[in-house]
Amino acid sequence: MEDKQMENQQEAHKEGPVARKIEEQTARLPSDVFLWASLASMGMSLTLKCLKHKHMALFVGQWAAPFLLLGIYNKIVKTSGHDEQS
């Protein structure tokens, strides 16, 4: 009985084709790539701010949060095993 319930839950939680493709691509990257990208965007933002490019500095600085979120997503995909499903 429990096996059937688990199968039904797995069926209900299957990923769509777009999510599966994204997971396949992001699972290939090491998680620290996203951390380094975030730090690089903060560094570029600081450099642009020092060079008096205020608007460009703000634009580039806003990239840090999405990079960190992608890193979290990548880590969740890897630890939950979704990247191994076909």
Side-chain angles (χ1 to χ4, degrees), residues 2 7-8 16 28 46-47 54 61 80 86:
E2 285 183 26
E7 285 179 27
N8 289 340
R28 293 179 183 174
L46 178 62
T47 301
K54 180 182 176 184
S80 66
S86 54

Side-chain angles (χ1 to χ4, degrees), residues 18-81:
V18 174
R20 203 170 318 134
K21 285 290 184 188
I22 291 171
E23 289 173 2
E24 287 173 10
Q25 297 305 314
T26 59
R28 293 179 183 174
L29 296 172
S31 297
D32 62 342
V33 166
F34 297 103
L35 176 62
W36 287 111
S38 177
L39 292 171
S41 72
M42 287 186 267
M44 286 192 318
S45 177
L46 178 62
T47 301
L48 289 166
K49 185 76 168 175
C50 291
L51 294 173
K52 309 284 191 224
H53 296 286
K54 180 182 176 184
H55 294 291
M56 187 60 80
L58 290 172
F59 175 68
V60 172
Q62 291 177 355
W63 297 352
F67 284 136
L68 290 173
L69 287 171
L70 286 169
I72 291 169
Y73 179 78
N74 183 8
K75 196 62 135 179
I76 290 170
V77 166
K78 286 181 177 182
T79 57
S80 66

